[in-house]
Amino acid sequence: MKILAIDTSCDETSVAVSHNDSLKANIISSQIEFHTKWGGVVPLIAQRNHQEKIDIVIKKALQVAKVNIEDIDIFAVTYGPGLAVALEVGIKKIKQLAKKHRKPVVAVDHMAGHLYANFARNRNSVPLNPILFTKDQSLVRKDIFPFLGLLISGGHTEIILIEDHLKFSKIGETLDDSIGEAFDKVANMLGLGYPGGPIIEELATQGDEHRFDLPIAMKNSNDLNFSYSGLKTAVLRVIKELGTEAPRYDPQEKEGIPEPSLCIPNLYQPTLSKKPIYKLNKQDILDVAASFQCVAYKQLKNKLLKAIARYKTEFVVIGGGVVANLYIRRKLRKTLGREGVRLIHPQNKKLVSDNAGMIAVSAYYQALDAQFVDIEELDRKPRLSL
Ligand code: KG4
Ligand code: ZN
């Protein structure tokens, strides 16, 4: 079956075309440049950009896949979680296409997509994570179930038990901020721009992760939940102690522009917020970034180890934008390895951040299970949860 999938859940307009679970095209048009100066995603800017880009990205995906729209068998779309006004654009487009071409629609949960990114095959139908497939690569192995999923993104920090295809039970989640949000907020406090994750990761490579004693939240709680807001507050306390108060650089103001808090021109991004920031010297910034990242990881580790002890699974499959973080991935792989557990992550950069390829893969398994929706009923679900 040929699938065309759309994801417009946040600040990427993405369209993929697949043949079953083999991705023939996975086009991502990022809007980050339009949001960076605001220090986060602005919903109406996201919506307008999706509207402007969606047809172009669909055309490109079909071109790259060498498929005619008339040959598409199934249309798939992310219907949540995400920004309501952004989700709306993809849903509206998929309804138009499905009506015009009289084809069924599959509605996909964005977070299921992040997990199913791990089951993708490339355009030559080779599984990107062969260990999850039978020896002849024809099917996903039955004995990988049940396995644990760890979702770490801008809006989510969750542990999911996957008992069979598309059978998700959430067994742990953050009680406040997500890990990606914490990266973004800490970067913001340091005046480093948005998105914060990649910047913090890069700076942390030069910092001393043991310099500051930051709290590991919910260390002794027996549940599998997380909390990242205390860590963020602790980092702010450290920043206040180290720094001198300085007005933020506001590009709309001609005067009083302080030196950027860190002279890495390509990384420093101004923000329009007028809240004061604290000017730190370079080494302090590097050490704050490293110490924060280290504790952010330790919190994941603690709860994952608890989940593994409880559910005794052989695999942990990870998904979401924070999976791009090599420090976290390496540390997790080592820690899980000691427990005899394999860490699986999407084997392609495009499949880590928000993309429609992962939506096509989930849609394939949903279609096999006849999970089609009535397009008149289909609506955005910004708070959808696995
Ligand atoms: O999955 P995603 O692209 O969007 C959501 O569905 O939320 O995740 C975006 C999040 C942002 O918070 C971003 O800062 C974080 O992923 N991120 C990272 C890295 N790259 C992206 N966090 C830590 N280290 C990174 N290298
Ligand atoms: Zn995402």
Side-chain angles (χ1 to χ4, degrees):
M1 69 183 102
K2 290 200 169 57
I3 303 171
L4 184 143
I6 296 181
D7 185 288
T8 59
S9 57
C10 192
D11 55 353
E12 261 100 28
T13 314
S14 184
V15 179
V17 173
S18 73
H19 183 210
N20 298 336
D21 49 352
S22 303
L23 297 177
K24 304 294 182 186
N26 187 11
I27 311 295
I28 302 166
S29 168
S30 175
Q31 308 175 353
I32 281 186
E33 60 179 306
F34 301 104
H35 300 287
T36 306
K37 68 173 180 179
W38 304 100
V41 178
V42 184
L44 288 178
I45 295 181
Q47 183 185 43
R48 200 185 60 225
N49 267 280
H50 287 311
Q51 284 162 343
E52 282 170 11
K53 294 277 171 55
I54 189 79
D55 287 327
I56 303 166
V57 183
I58 290 174
K59 197 169 160 200
K60 177 95 192 277
L62 290 164
Q63 250 171 16
V64 170
K66 298 192 177 75
V67 170
N68 291 321
I69 189 122
E70 292 76 22
D71 298 329
I72 295 293
D73 303 302
I74 287 162
F75 289 100
V77 67
T78 301
Y79 73 119
L83 289 174
V85 293
L87 290 164
E88 204 173 275
V89 180
I91 293 175
K92 195 169 156 205
K93 182 54 67 180
I94 231 63
K95 285 185 179 186
Q96 280 172 7
L97 292 172
K99 267 190 190 154
K100 182 168 174 204
H101 299 283
R102 297 164 190 261
K103 293 288 159 58
V105 170
V106 174
V108 179
D109 181 317
H110 181 81
M111 302 317 289
H114 273 306
L115 287 174
Y116 270 78
N118 289 285
F119 292 114
R121 295 175 192 257
N122 68 15
R123 56 183 309 127
N124 301 318
S125 301
V126 178
L128 296 174
N129 273 316
I131 186 143
L132 299 177
F133 287 74
T134 51
K135 265 210 180 103
D136 66 357
Q137 301 193 340
S138 62
L139 289 170
V140 165
R141 278 166 54 190
K142 279 216 166 359
D143 62 348
I144 64 161
F145 297 102
F147 65 85
L148 290 173
L150 175 69
L151 287 167
I152 42 178
S153 73
H156 295 76
T157 309
E158 296 178 343
I159 305 181
I160 311 285
L161 180 69
I162 299 102
E163 285 172 271
D164 201 347
H165 271 305
L166 306 169
K167 280 189 110 186
F168 308 106
S169 318
K170 197 193 296 172
I171 55 174
E173 66 186 322
T174 182
L175 303 179
D176 39 59
D177 292 353
S178 75
I179 181 169
E181 197 177 347
F183 268 93
D184 294 335
K185 285 181 176 168
V186 167
N188 198 262
M189 290 189 269
L190 291 168
L192 298 169
Y194 173 86
I199 308 171
I200 296 276
E201 179 182 7
E202 169 148 3
L203 299 182
T205 58
Q206 304 162 62
D208 172 6
E209 66 180 34
H210 303 296
R211 175 160 164 207
F212 304 108
D213 192 19
L214 298 169
I216 300 173
M218 304 179 70
K219 196 167 153 187
N220 299 318
S221 72
N222 261 333
D223 58 35
L224 300 173
N225 294 328
F226 302 92
S227 163
Y228 277 93
S229 85
L231 175 57
K232 176 194 66 190
T233 311
V235 170
L236 181 60
R237 208 164 33 239
V238 168
I239 291 175
K240 276 185 183 171
E241 276 167 24
L242 292 171
T244 49
E245 212 165 309
R248 270 186 195 262
Y249 169 39
D250 182 341
Q252 287 180 336
E253 275 176 14
K254 298 264 186 305
E255 294 169 348
I257 299 172
E259 285 297 301
S261 54
L262 182 65
C263 284
I264 304 178
N266 292 335
L267 289 181
Y268 179 79
Q269 296 287 351
T271 151
L272 292 185
S273 161
K274 297 221 171 165
K275 281 187 209 150
I277 58 166
Y278 297 84
K279 214 173 151 192
L280 269 60
N281 73 39
K282 182 172 171 177
Q283 193 56 51
D284 287 346
I285 290 183
L286 301 175
D287 295 345
V288 168
S291 304
F292 159 75
Q293 182 176 255
C294 174
V295 172
Y297 156 72
K298 280 184 179 162
Q299 296 193 176
L300 292 180
K301 177 184 101 171
N302 285 347
K303 292 306 170 96
L304 254 190
L305 288 178
K306 278 194 178 125
I308 289 166
R310 206 166 292 173
Y311 293 94
K312 310 209 179 337
T313 65
E314 202 184 323
F315 293 96
V316 170
V317 170
I318 56 177
V322 182
V323 170
N325 187 300
L326 291 180
Y327 171 92
I328 290 181
R329 240 156 63 189
R330 286 196 189 118
K331 288 255 180 184
L332 274 180
R333 179 173 305 113
K334 229 175 163 179
T335 304
L336 297 190
R338 275 188 232 116
E339 306 294 314
V341 174
R342 289 285 292 250
L343 181 75
I344 308 289
H345 63 83
Q347 292 296 322
N348 176 323
K349 248 185 159 174
K350 271 188 171 178
L351 286 166
V352 169
S353 57
D354 287 351
N355 69 94
M358 65 188 198
I359 303 304
V361 179
S362 180
Y364 165 67
Y365 286 97
Q366 290 177 248
L368 288 181
D369 195 37
Q371 292 183 16
F372 300 107
V373 291
D374 175 350
I375 55 171
E376 301 307 328
E377 308 264 293
L378 176 58
D379 199 3
R380 62 196 191 177
K381 289 223 161 50
R383 298 191 178 279
L384 186 65
S385 171
L386 283 180

